[in-house]
Amino acid sequence: MDLNCDLGESFGNYRLGNDEALLSIVTSANIACGLHAGDPLVMGRTVRWAVSKGVAIGAHPGYPDLQGFGRREMNMSAEEVEAFVLYQIGALAGFVRAEGGELVHVKPHGALYNQAAKDRALARAIVQAVKRFSPHLIVVGLAGSVLVEEAREAGLPAAAEGFPDRAYNPDGTLKSRREPGAVLQTVEAVCQQAIRLATQGAGEGTQRVPVDTLCIHGDGAHAVEFATAVRESLLTAGVALRSLSPESLRL
């Protein structure tokens, strides 16, 4: 099982999360590319840390919405989405190459990620951008989403993602944040959810969806504590941790 985290989201005088500490815990990093968060100095520094710690690096493109942190839906054409995603992949790849590393995956951020989980045209635009850059990059999307389906149909490797700190519906979809209990608050609940996702997948019964990677949110006040506990719980449960790679994915 891969353990990933969204990182590099500070910019200018704005500081968010403890990236260096989290990079000693996770196995993959999704690094912001400067449009929803991050800036060139933060991108370079975060990539440098990831390379030094042997953490797999992925581009984390979002909508051009710095003020809204990429969490507001935007009405963009498929052509615009493809261009903006390609632009961001290329920006991060430049830093990765400069540090002697290798870009492994692409995971959309925020509203772009959530919309692409259901909107097939949007998902195709993202997949097309990734494929144009490199057909070997892994597309990371919500387990059971159309983004994962579109990536696989296009011949790209895809990783199905689960969230240890979120409650799920029986069909494997995430419970709406508007519902009580949608976000798990305790270390114990998050660790139990992580083990369940890693060993059983998301959802219940015949609707269960396998999961390849677990996301730890890096911007929470207790991110390092939660990430450490999840890592230790998975290892104790006999779940081996490894970075994302095409060879590691369940096809």
Side-chain angles (χ1 to χ4, degrees), residues 3-5 7 23 26-31 46 50 55-59 105:
L3 193 60
N4 79 72
C5 190
L7 300 171
L23 282 166
V26 300
T27 51
S28 293
N30 321 304
I31 301 177
T46 310
V55 174
I57 300 172
H105 65 277

Side-chain angles (χ1 to χ4, degrees), residues 120 123-124 127-128 131 139 145-158 251:
R120 199 166 291 277
R124 285 174 181 161
V127 168
Q128 182 62 20
K131 190 170 185 178
V139 175
S145 68
V146 298
L147 178 59
V148 171
E149 291 177 5
E150 287 295 326
R152 290 172 177 164
E153 288 179 12
L156 299 179
L251 302 178

Side-chain angles (χ1 to χ4, degrees), residues 44-235:
R45 181 169 62 244
T46 310
V47 166
R48 193 175 309 117
W49 286 339
V51 170
S52 70
K53 295 176 183 293
V55 174
I57 300 172
H60 195 40
Y63 282 130
D65 178 27
L66 198 62
Q67 186 172 358
F69 198 63
R71 289 177 173 164
R72 300 182 292 192
E73 292 188 1
M74 298 185 72
N75 184 20
M76 299 177 68
S77 68
E79 183 180 15
E80 287 176 309
V81 169
E82 182 179 333
F84 272 98
V85 171
L86 182 58
Y87 172 86
Q88 292 176 80
I89 295 172
L92 188 73
F95 286 103
V96 176
R97 180 177 178 181
E99 294 297 333
E102 178 184 0
L103 192 64
V104 175
H105 65 277
V106 176
K107 174 189 167 181
H109 166 81
L112 183 62
Y113 178 98
N114 291 327
Q115 286 182 269
K118 300 177 181 179
D119 187 325
R120 199 166 291 277
L122 184 62
R124 285 174 181 161
I126 295 169
V127 168
Q128 182 62 20
V130 176
K131 190 170 185 178
R132 286 177 63 192
F133 188 88
S134 171
H136 305 296
L137 290 177
I138 300 167
V139 175
V140 178
L142 182 67
S145 68
V146 298
L147 178 59
V148 171
E149 291 177 5
E150 287 295 326
R152 290 172 177 164
E153 288 179 12
L156 299 179
E161 184 174 43
F163 294 87
D165 63 351
R166 293 292 305 277
Y168 281 79
N169 297 311
D171 64 355
T173 57
L174 291 173
K175 183 174 289 188
S176 170
R177 286 181 179 268
R178 293 188 293 271
E179 297 182 31
V183 179
L184 307 183
Q185 302 293 341
T186 67
V187 172
E188 293 76 12
V190 171
C191 289
Q192 290 173 6
Q193 177 79 303
I195 294 171
R196 183 162 50 249
L197 289 169
T199 58
Q200 302 175 23
E204 300 175 4
T206 57
Q207 300 182 93
R208 198 175 299 280
V209 182
V211 170
D212 302 297
T213 182
L214 299 175
C215 177
I216 299 293
H217 289 108
D219 57 347
H222 305 288
V224 174
E225 176 189 359
F226 276 30
T228 301
V230 166
R231 180 184 177 92
E232 292 176 352
S233 296
L234 290 171
L235 292 173

